[in-house]
Amino acid sequence: YPREMAFAATLMLDNAEHVIGVARYVTCEDGRTCEFAIVIADAWQGRGIGRRMIAKLILVARDAGLRAIYGDVLAMNRPMLDLMRNMGFRLARHPDDATIVRGTLEL
């Protein structure tokens, strides 16, 4: 995984595996930073799954020698912005779109 990493959160329901969350990062062209994205199924939000998945991405990115991880979030997505703030991300308005907040964490 020289440029990308992805994790999936799954569970077994009715003898079938279901994906309830995905988190991934992609290394930027500078080779020093990466952008992450995460999605958790609505029914499973607020249970700590996203926090654990982001924490794992951070560890893997740090171990890969990356210097920072960032993600863009809709400004109205308060739960995600609160999560990022609580995890130590620095939040700032996106330079190209006032409806987006960029969270950056130095690794």
Side-chain angles (χ1 to χ4, degrees), residues 5 25 34 56-69 107:
M5 177 56 66
Y25 76 71
C34 63
K56 185 67 173 175
L57 282 179
I58 290 167
L59 288 175
V60 172
R62 186 177 288 136
D63 287 347
L66 297 172
R67 307 255 183 181
I69 186 169
L107 301 175

Side-chain angles (χ1 to χ4, degrees), residues 1 8 14 19 26 29 33 35 40 50 68 74 76 87 92 97 99:
Y1 305 99
D14 301 322
V19 175
V26 176
E29 288 185 20
T33 61
E35 181 177 9
I40 305 295
L74 289 173
M76 61 186 224
M87 294 184 79
D97 188 339
T99 67

Side-chain angles (χ1 to χ4, degrees), residues 70-85:
Y70 72 90
D72 293 338
V73 180
L74 289 173
M76 61 186 224
N77 187 346
R78 285 277 160 241
M80 184 62 182
L81 293 173
D82 290 343
L83 172 61
M84 291 173 77
R85 187 178 297 108

Side-chain angles (χ1 to χ4, degrees), residues 1-23:
Y1 305 99
R3 287 204 67 237
E4 300 180 25
M5 177 56 66
F7 297 106
T10 64
L11 57 85
M12 295 297 291
L13 289 174
D14 301 322
N15 295 322
E17 186 175 33
H18 296 268
V19 175
I20 60 169
V22 175

